[in-house]
Amino acid sequence: MTETRFNIMIVGQAGRLQYEAVLFAASLRRYAPDFTGRLYVAVPQPSGLWTKDPSIRNKPVLEALEALGADILPFQSVAFGEGYPYGNKIEALLALPEGEPFVFFDTDTLITGPLDQLPLDFGRPSASLRREGTWPKPTLYGPDMTGIWRALYDRFGLDFDSSLDHSQPENFWRRYLYFNAGYYYGSCPRIFGKRFFEYAVSIRDDLPKALIGQSLDPWLDQIALPLVIHSLGGGRATLPEGYLDGEMSCHYRSLPLLYARESDDVVAALETVASPNKIKKVLKQYEPMKRMIYQGRGAKVRAMFDRDNLPRKEQALRNRIKSAGFWMR
């Protein structure tokens, strides 16, 4: 357990993410007022890897982020860019201050508690366990799940067996180290980011034979992430349960999903941080936030579901919301 000062990074760019960044920053300032680290909004810069300028040029958004104490952190896309925008969360790490502990959050996250009290052990990195068994999907004639994951650990000279949860059965996805990349943390963003970059590019550009037939898009970051964490001495559940993806943060993914499945406290937190006029004027520029938060569509989605009896799969939630005509992102 540690009370080490740390920085937070999210990725912001033109479009949806810039408005989510404002919402994230507002929630951080409201619910973690004693957080003393820096909040970096990492912004990809124009390059040949983007067909349009991805940087934030919206003046009200930039003014809101500045007022909320966020630092804009420009970075260059070297390997990913528009073709794989999830690569932003890899490449942006290399622009953070070297040697300073960090926590990365996806921008579609709300802070709902005092992050300065998080019992993080930065020497044992980890990531979000709020996930489903989305990857891999073994084929009839290909290697099984063990064969696929073992090939990845072998590629980078890592000990596969020590990564396994032996309480789970062979070829069941929970047996293998697998995270949601919605948050992750470590002791140095440059070391973590360099390794993340190396592993992801290697997998993409020199596909291990065991992965032939497996989809890398959008899963590449979540394929490489457990390898990075394991290589740096981390693993599953190094942070006690109930803090992140719990009382202190909510990775809501989209506003319709937030209203459909999250607790009353999370909905109240969203509407509290979105209510000040200075924030409202910025967020209402973005149609999904305008309709969901301010014009009552979120309440209509919420009324469709019983939080004590939700569909087991997220896709079923999405389908019901879409069928009702309320899906927006």
mmCIF file with all atom_site columns, all heavy atoms in Angstrom, residues 102-120:
data_model
loop_
_atom_site.group_PDB
_atom_site.id
_atom_site.type_symbol
_atom_site.label_atom_id
_atom_site.label_alt_id
_atom_site.label_comp_id
_atom_site.label_asym_id
_atom_site.label_entity_id
_atom_site.label_seq_id
_atom_site.pdbx_PDB_ins_code
_atom_site.Cartn_x
_atom_site.Cartn_y
_atom_site.Cartn_z
_atom_site.occupancy
_atom_site.B_iso_or_equiv
_atom_site.pdbx_formal_charge
_atom_site.auth_seq_id
_atom_site.auth_comp_id
_atom_site.auth_asym_id
_atom_site.auth_atom_id
_atom_site.pdbx_PDB_model_num
ATOM 1   N N   . PHE A 1 102 ? 2.081   6.733  -12.501 1.00 0.00 ? 102 PHE A N   1
ATOM 2   C CA  . PHE A 1 102 ? 0.949   7.205  -13.290 1.00 0.00 ? 102 PHE A CA  1
ATOM 3   C C   . PHE A 1 102 ? -0.207  6.226  -13.192 1.00 0.00 ? 102 PHE A C   1
ATOM 4   O O   . PHE A 1 102 ? -0.023  5.032  -12.934 1.00 0.00 ? 102 PHE A O   1
ATOM 5   C CB  . PHE A 1 102 ? 1.353   7.342  -14.765 1.00 0.00 ? 102 PHE A CB  1
ATOM 6   C CG  . PHE A 1 102 ? 1.479   5.996  -15.454 1.00 0.00 ? 102 PHE A CG  1
ATOM 7   C CD1 . PHE A 1 102 ? 0.417   5.465  -16.190 1.00 0.00 ? 102 PHE A CD1 1
ATOM 8   C CD2 . PHE A 1 102 ? 2.630   5.235  -15.324 1.00 0.00 ? 102 PHE A CD2 1
ATOM 9   C CE1 . PHE A 1 102 ? 0.515   4.214  -16.788 1.00 0.00 ? 102 PHE A CE1 1
ATOM 10  C CE2 . PHE A 1 102 ? 2.738   3.990  -15.919 1.00 0.00 ? 102 PHE A CE2 1
ATOM 11  C CZ  . PHE A 1 102 ? 1.679   3.469  -16.655 1.00 0.00 ? 102 PHE A CZ  1
ATOM 12  N N   . VAL A 1 103 ? -1.404  6.773  -13.423 1.00 0.00 ? 103 VAL A N   1
ATOM 13  C CA  . VAL A 1 103 ? -2.595  5.960  -13.680 1.00 0.00 ? 103 VAL A CA  1
ATOM 14  C C   . VAL A 1 103 ? -3.204  6.470  -14.969 1.00 0.00 ? 103 VAL A C   1
ATOM 15  O O   . VAL A 1 103 ? -3.463  7.672  -15.109 1.00 0.00 ? 103 VAL A O   1
ATOM 16  C CB  . VAL A 1 103 ? -3.636  6.042  -12.551 1.00 0.00 ? 103 VAL A CB  1
ATOM 17  C CG1 . VAL A 1 103 ? -4.828  5.135  -12.862 1.00 0.00 ? 103 VAL A CG1 1
ATOM 18  C CG2 . VAL A 1 103 ? -3.030  5.656  -11.207 1.00 0.00 ? 103 VAL A CG2 1
ATOM 19  N N   . PHE A 1 104 ? -3.396  5.578  -15.930 1.00 0.00 ? 104 PHE A N   1
ATOM 20  C CA  . PHE A 1 104 ? -4.117  5.911  -17.155 1.00 0.00 ? 104 PHE A CA  1
ATOM 21  C C   . PHE A 1 104 ? -5.576  5.527  -16.987 1.00 0.00 ? 104 PHE A C   1
ATOM 22  O O   . PHE A 1 104 ? -5.891  4.454  -16.458 1.00 0.00 ? 104 PHE A O   1
ATOM 23  C CB  . PHE A 1 104 ? -3.549  5.153  -18.355 1.00 0.00 ? 104 PHE A CB  1
ATOM 24  C CG  . PHE A 1 104 ? -4.474  5.163  -19.542 1.00 0.00 ? 104 PHE A CG  1
ATOM 25  C CD1 . PHE A 1 104 ? -4.496  6.242  -20.419 1.00 0.00 ? 104 PHE A CD1 1
ATOM 26  C CD2 . PHE A 1 104 ? -5.378  4.124  -19.758 1.00 0.00 ? 104 PHE A CD2 1
ATOM 27  C CE1 . PHE A 1 104 ? -5.392  6.283  -21.474 1.00 0.00 ? 104 PHE A CE1 1
ATOM 28  C CE2 . PHE A 1 104 ? -6.267  4.149  -20.816 1.00 0.00 ? 104 PHE A CE2 1
ATOM 29  C CZ  . PHE A 1 104 ? -6.280  5.225  -21.678 1.00 0.00 ? 104 PHE A CZ  1
ATOM 30  N N   . PHE A 1 105 ? -6.476  6.407  -17.423 1.00 0.00 ? 105 PHE A N   1
ATOM 31  C CA  . PHE A 1 105 ? -7.899  6.104  -17.481 1.00 0.00 ? 105 PHE A CA  1
ATOM 32  C C   . PHE A 1 105 ? -8.409  6.349  -18.895 1.00 0.00 ? 105 PHE A C   1
ATOM 33  O O   . PHE A 1 105 ? -8.023  7.339  -19.541 1.00 0.00 ? 105 PHE A O   1
ATOM 34  C CB  . PHE A 1 105 ? -8.712  7.013  -16.546 1.00 0.00 ? 105 PHE A CB  1
ATOM 35  C CG  . PHE A 1 105 ? -8.566  6.722  -15.084 1.00 0.00 ? 105 PHE A CG  1
ATOM 36  C CD1 . PHE A 1 105 ? -7.728  7.492  -14.290 1.00 0.00 ? 105 PHE A CD1 1
ATOM 37  C CD2 . PHE A 1 105 ? -9.285  5.697  -14.477 1.00 0.00 ? 105 PHE A CD2 1
ATOM 38  C CE1 . PHE A 1 105 ? -7.601  7.251  -12.927 1.00 0.00 ? 105 PHE A CE1 1
ATOM 39  C CE2 . PHE A 1 105 ? -9.174  5.445  -13.124 1.00 0.00 ? 105 PHE A CE2 1
ATOM 40  C CZ  . PHE A 1 105 ? -8.326  6.221  -12.345 1.00 0.00 ? 105 PHE A CZ  1
ATOM 41  N N   . ASP A 1 106 ? -9.287  5.477  -19.379 1.00 0.00 ? 106 ASP A N   1
ATOM 42  C CA  . ASP A 1 106 ? -10.041 5.821  -20.576 1.00 0.00 ? 106 ASP A CA  1
ATOM 43  C C   . ASP A 1 106 ? -10.841 7.083  -20.296 1.00 0.00 ? 106 ASP A C   1
ATOM 44  O O   . ASP A 1 106 ? -11.318 7.304  -19.171 1.00 0.00 ? 106 ASP A O   1
ATOM 45  C CB  . ASP A 1 106 ? -10.992 4.681  -20.963 1.00 0.00 ? 106 ASP A CB  1
ATOM 46  C CG  . ASP A 1 106 ? -10.359 3.688  -21.921 1.00 0.00 ? 106 ASP A CG  1
ATOM 47  O OD1 . ASP A 1 106 ? -9.277  3.971  -22.458 1.00 0.00 ? 106 ASP A OD1 1
ATOM 48  O OD2 . ASP A 1 106 ? -10.968 2.616  -22.132 1.00 0.00 ? 106 ASP A OD2 1
ATOM 49  N N   . THR A 1 107 ? -11.021 7.896  -21.314 1.00 0.00 ? 107 THR A N   1
ATOM 50  C CA  . THR A 1 107 ? -11.686 9.185  -21.140 1.00 0.00 ? 107 THR A CA  1
ATOM 51  C C   . THR A 1 107 ? -13.150 9.016  -20.739 1.00 0.00 ? 107 THR A C   1
ATOM 52  O O   . THR A 1 107 ? -13.700 9.880  -20.043 1.00 0.00 ? 107 THR A O   1
ATOM 53  C CB  . THR A 1 107 ? -11.567 10.000 -22.444 1.00 0.00 ? 107 THR A CB  1
ATOM 54  O OG1 . THR A 1 107 ? -10.229 9.884  -22.933 1.00 0.00 ? 107 THR A OG1 1
ATOM 55  C CG2 . THR A 1 107 ? -11.873 11.464 -22.206 1.00 0.00 ? 107 THR A CG2 1
ATOM 56  N N   . ASP A 1 108 ? -13.773 7.905  -21.148 1.00 0.00 ? 108 ASP A N   1
ATOM 57  C CA  . ASP A 1 108 ? -15.177 7.671  -20.792 1.00 0.00 ? 108 ASP A CA  1
ATOM 58  C C   . ASP A 1 108 ? -15.280 7.045  -19.394 1.00 0.00 ? 108 ASP A C   1
ATOM 59  O O   . ASP A 1 108 ? -15.837 5.973  -19.197 1.00 0.00 ? 108 ASP A O   1
ATOM 60  C CB  . ASP A 1 108 ? -15.875 6.807  -21.848 1.00 0.00 ? 108 ASP A CB  1
ATOM 61  C CG  . ASP A 1 108 ? -15.101 5.547  -22.204 1.00 0.00 ? 108 ASP A CG  1
ATOM 62  O OD1 . ASP A 1 108 ? -14.014 5.309  -21.628 1.00 0.00 ? 108 ASP A OD1 1
ATOM 63  O OD2 . ASP A 1 108 ? -15.575 4.789  -23.077 1.00 0.00 ? 108 ASP A OD2 1
ATOM 64  N N   . THR A 1 109 ? -14.703 7.774  -18.441 1.00 0.00 ? 109 THR A N   1
ATOM 65  C CA  . THR A 1 109 ? -14.668 7.364  -17.038 1.00 0.00 ? 109 THR A CA  1
ATOM 66  C C   . THR A 1 109 ? -15.085 8.540  -16.182 1.00 0.00 ? 109 THR A C   1
ATOM 67  O O   . THR A 1 109 ? -14.763 9.688  -16.489 1.00 0.00 ? 109 THR A O   1
ATOM 68  C CB  . THR A 1 109 ? -13.239 6.926  -16.640 1.00 0.00 ? 109 THR A CB  1
ATOM 69  O OG1 . THR A 1 109 ? -12.837 5.819  -17.453 1.00 0.00 ? 109 THR A OG1 1
ATOM 70  C CG2 . THR A 1 109 ? -13.145 6.523  -15.180 1.00 0.00 ? 109 THR A CG2 1
ATOM 71  N N   . LEU A 1 110 ? -15.801 8.266  -15.093 1.00 0.00 ? 110 LEU A N   1
ATOM 72  C CA  . LEU A 1 110 ? -16.102 9.267  -14.075 1.00 0.00 ? 110 LEU A CA  1
ATOM 73  C C   . LEU A 1 110 ? -15.320 8.937  -12.818 1.00 0.00 ? 110 LEU A C   1
ATOM 74  O O   . LEU A 1 110 ? -15.254 7.767  -12.419 1.00 0.00 ? 110 LEU A O   1
ATOM 75  C CB  . LEU A 1 110 ? -17.591 9.262  -13.717 1.00 0.00 ? 110 LEU A CB  1
ATOM 76  C CG  . LEU A 1 110 ? -18.598 9.926  -14.645 1.00 0.00 ? 110 LEU A CG  1
ATOM 77  C CD1 . LEU A 1 110 ? -20.000 9.718  -14.084 1.00 0.00 ? 110 LEU A CD1 1
ATOM 78  C CD2 . LEU A 1 110 ? -18.308 11.404 -14.818 1.00 0.00 ? 110 LEU A CD2 1
ATOM 79  N N   . ILE A 1 111 ? -14.749 9.952  -12.193 1.00 0.00 ? 111 ILE A N   1
ATOM 80  C CA  . ILE A 1 111 ? -14.157 9.777  -10.871 1.00 0.00 ? 111 ILE A CA  1
ATOM 81  C C   . ILE A 1 111 ? -15.258 10.051 -9.847  1.00 0.00 ? 111 ILE A C   1
ATOM 82  O O   . ILE A 1 111 ? -15.952 11.064 -9.923  1.00 0.00 ? 111 ILE A O   1
ATOM 83  C CB  . ILE A 1 111 ? -12.961 10.724 -10.667 1.00 0.00 ? 111 ILE A CB  1
ATOM 84  C CG1 . ILE A 1 111 ? -11.881 10.438 -11.717 1.00 0.00 ? 111 ILE A CG1 1
ATOM 85  C CG2 . ILE A 1 111 ? -12.405 10.583 -9.254  1.00 0.00 ? 111 ILE A CG2 1
ATOM 86  C CD1 . ILE A 1 111 ? -11.417 8.997  -11.790 1.00 0.00 ? 111 ILE A CD1 1
ATOM 87  N N   . THR A 1 112 ? -15.406 9.147  -8.897  1.00 0.00 ? 112 THR A N   1
ATOM 88  C CA  . THR A 1 112 ? -16.528 9.236  -7.946  1.00 0.00 ? 112 THR A CA  1
ATOM 89  C C   . THR A 1 112 ? -16.070 9.162  -6.496  1.00 0.00 ? 112 THR A C   1
ATOM 90  O O   . THR A 1 112 ? -16.902 9.046  -5.592  1.00 0.00 ? 112 THR A O   1
ATOM 91  C CB  . THR A 1 112 ? -17.546 8.112  -8.222  1.00 0.00 ? 112 THR A CB  1
ATOM 92  O OG1 . THR A 1 112 ? -16.864 6.846  -8.195  1.00 0.00 ? 112 THR A OG1 1
ATOM 93  C CG2 . THR A 1 112 ? -18.209 8.294  -9.583  1.00 0.00 ? 112 THR A CG2 1
ATOM 94  N N   . GLY A 1 113 ? -14.743 9.205  -6.260  1.00 0.00 ? 113 GLY A N   1
ATOM 95  C CA  . GLY A 1 113 ? -14.239 9.119  -4.894  1.00 0.00 ? 113 GLY A CA  1
ATOM 96  C C   . GLY A 1 113 ? -12.828 9.671  -4.781  1.00 0.00 ? 113 GLY A C   1
ATOM 97  O O   . GLY A 1 113 ? -12.204 10.038 -5.786  1.00 0.00 ? 113 GLY A O   1
ATOM 98  N N   . PRO A 1 114 ? -12.290 9.730  -3.545  1.00 0.00 ? 114 PRO A N   1
ATOM 99  C CA  . PRO A 1 114 ? -10.994 10.382 -3.278  1.00 0.00 ? 114 PRO A CA  1
ATOM 100 C C   . PRO A 1 114 ? -9.808  9.548  -3.749  1.00 0.00 ? 114 PRO A C   1
ATOM 101 O O   . PRO A 1 114 ? -9.265  8.730  -3.009  1.00 0.00 ? 114 PRO A O   1
ATOM 102 C CB  . PRO A 1 114 ? -11.002 10.547 -1.755  1.00 0.00 ? 114 PRO A CB  1
ATOM 103 C CG  . PRO A 1 114 ? -11.867 9.421  -1.256  1.00 0.00 ? 114 PRO A CG  1
ATOM 104 C CD  . PRO A 1 114 ? -12.935 9.235  -2.311  1.00 0.00 ? 114 PRO A CD  1
ATOM 105 N N   . LEU A 1 115 ? -9.375  9.772  -4.979  1.00 0.00 ? 115 LEU A N   1
ATOM 106 C CA  . LEU A 1 115 ? -8.285  8.986  -5.562  1.00 0.00 ? 115 LEU A CA  1
ATOM 107 C C   . LEU A 1 115 ? -6.986  9.095  -4.772  1.00 0.00 ? 115 LEU A C   1
ATOM 108 O O   . LEU A 1 115 ? -6.145  8.189  -4.847  1.00 0.00 ? 115 LEU A O   1
ATOM 109 C CB  . LEU A 1 115 ? -8.026  9.432  -7.003  1.00 0.00 ? 115 LEU A CB  1
ATOM 110 C CG  . LEU A 1 115 ? -9.062  9.090  -8.071  1.00 0.00 ? 115 LEU A CG  1
ATOM 111 C CD1 . LEU A 1 115 ? -8.516  9.472  -9.435  1.00 0.00 ? 115 LEU A CD1 1
ATOM 112 C CD2 . LEU A 1 115 ? -9.439  7.629  -8.048  1.00 0.00 ? 115 LEU A CD2 1
ATOM 113 N N   . ASP A 1 116 ? -6.803  10.175 -4.036  1.00 0.00 ? 116 ASP A N   1
ATOM 114 C CA  . ASP A 1 116 ? -5.578  10.312 -3.247  1.00 0.00 ? 116 ASP A CA  1
ATOM 115 C C   . ASP A 1 116 ? -5.480  9.241  -2.161  1.00 0.00 ? 116 ASP A C   1
ATOM 116 O O   . ASP A 1 116 ? -4.406  9.004  -1.615  1.00 0.00 ? 116 ASP A O   1
ATOM 117 C CB  . ASP A 1 116 ? -5.528  11.708 -2.606  1.00 0.00 ? 116 ASP A CB  1
ATOM 118 C CG  . ASP A 1 116 ? -6.798  12.025 -1.825  1.00 0.00 ? 116 ASP A CG  1
ATOM 119 O OD1 . ASP A 1 116 ? -7.847  12.229 -2.462  1.00 0.00 ? 116 ASP A OD1 1
ATOM 120 O OD2 . ASP A 1 116 ? -6.744  12.059 -0.580  1.00 0.00 ? 116 ASP A OD2 1
ATOM 121 N N   . GLN A 1 117 ? -6.583  8.564  -1.854  1.00 0.00 ? 117 GLN A N   1
ATOM 122 C CA  . GLN A 1 117 ? -6.576  7.507  -0.839  1.00 0.00 ? 117 GLN A CA  1
ATOM 123 C C   . GLN A 1 117 ? -6.474  6.098  -1.431  1.00 0.00 ? 117 GLN A C   1
ATOM 124 O O   . GLN A 1 117 ? -6.622  5.102  -0.726  1.00 0.00 ? 117 GLN A O   1
ATOM 125 C CB  . GLN A 1 117 ? -7.848  7.617  0.022   1.00 0.00 ? 117 GLN A CB  1
ATOM 126 C CG  . GLN A 1 117 ? -7.944  8.927  0.791   1.00 0.00 ? 117 GLN A CG  1
ATOM 127 C CD  . GLN A 1 117 ? -9.251  9.065  1.558   1.00 0.00 ? 117 GLN A CD  1
ATOM 128 O OE1 . GLN A 1 117 ? -9.905  8.080  1.896   1.00 0.00 ? 117 GLN A OE1 1
ATOM 129 N NE2 . GLN A 1 117 ? -9.640  10.309 1.818   1.00 0.00 ? 117 GLN A NE2 1
ATOM 130 N N   . LEU A 1 118 ? -6.203  6.014  -2.732  1.00 0.00 ? 118 LEU A N   1
ATOM 131 C CA  . LEU A 1 118 ? -6.062  4.708  -3.370  1.00 0.00 ? 118 LEU A CA  1
ATOM 132 C C   . LEU A 1 118 ? -4.838  3.963  -2.834  1.00 0.00 ? 118 LEU A C   1
ATOM 133 O O   . LEU A 1 118 ? -3.731  4.506  -2.850  1.00 0.00 ? 118 LEU A O   1
ATOM 134 C CB  . LEU A 1 118 ? -5.885  4.876  -4.886  1.00 0.00 ? 118 LEU A CB  1
ATOM 135 C CG  . LEU A 1 118 ? -7.115  4.911  -5.772  1.00 0.00 ? 118 LEU A CG  1
ATOM 136 C CD1 . LEU A 1 118 ? -6.693  5.214  -7.206  1.00 0.00 ? 118 LEU A CD1 1
ATOM 137 C CD2 . LEU A 1 118 ? -7.880  3.604  -5.711  1.00 0.00 ? 118 LEU A CD2 1
ATOM 138 N N   . PRO A 1 119 ? -4.989  2.711  -2.415  1.00 0.00 ? 119 PRO A N   1
ATOM 139 C CA  . PRO A 1 119 ? -3.833  1.936  -1.937  1.00 0.00 ? 119 PRO A CA  1
ATOM 140 C C   . PRO A 1 119 ? -3.093  1.261  -3.086  1.00 0.00 ? 119 PRO A C   1
ATOM 141 O O   . PRO A 1 119 ? -3.060  0.037  -3.208  1.00 0.00 ? 119 PRO A O   1
ATOM 142 C CB  . PRO A 1 119 ? -4.479  0.908  -0.998  1.00 0.00 ? 119 PRO A CB  1
ATOM 143 C CG  . PRO A 1 119 ? -5.827  0.660  -1.593  1.00 0.00 ? 119 PRO A CG  1
ATOM 144 C CD  . PRO A 1 119 ? -6.259  1.978  -2.195  1.00 0.00 ? 119 PRO A CD  1
ATOM 145 N N   . LEU A 1 120 ? -2.492  2.068  -3.944  1.00 0.00 ? 120 LEU A N   1
ATOM 146 C CA  . LEU A 1 120 ? -1.813  1.539  -5.130  1.00 0.00 ? 120 LEU A CA  1
ATOM 147 C C   . LEU A 1 120 ? -0.374  1.159  -4.821  1.00 0.00 ? 120 LEU A C   1
ATOM 148 O O   . LEU A 1 120 ? 0.355   1.919  -4.184  1.00 0.00 ? 120 LEU A O   1
ATOM 149 C CB  . LEU A 1 120 ? -1.829  2.582  -6.256  1.00 0.00 ? 120 LEU A CB  1
ATOM 150 C CG  . LEU A 1 120 ? -3.185  2.904  -6.879  1.00 0.00 ? 120 LEU A CG  1
ATOM 151 C CD1 . LEU A 1 120 ? -3.060  4.103  -7.805  1.00 0.00 ? 120 LEU A CD1 1
ATOM 152 C CD2 . LEU A 1 120 ? -3.728  1.708  -7.641  1.00 0.00 ? 120 LEU A CD2 1
#
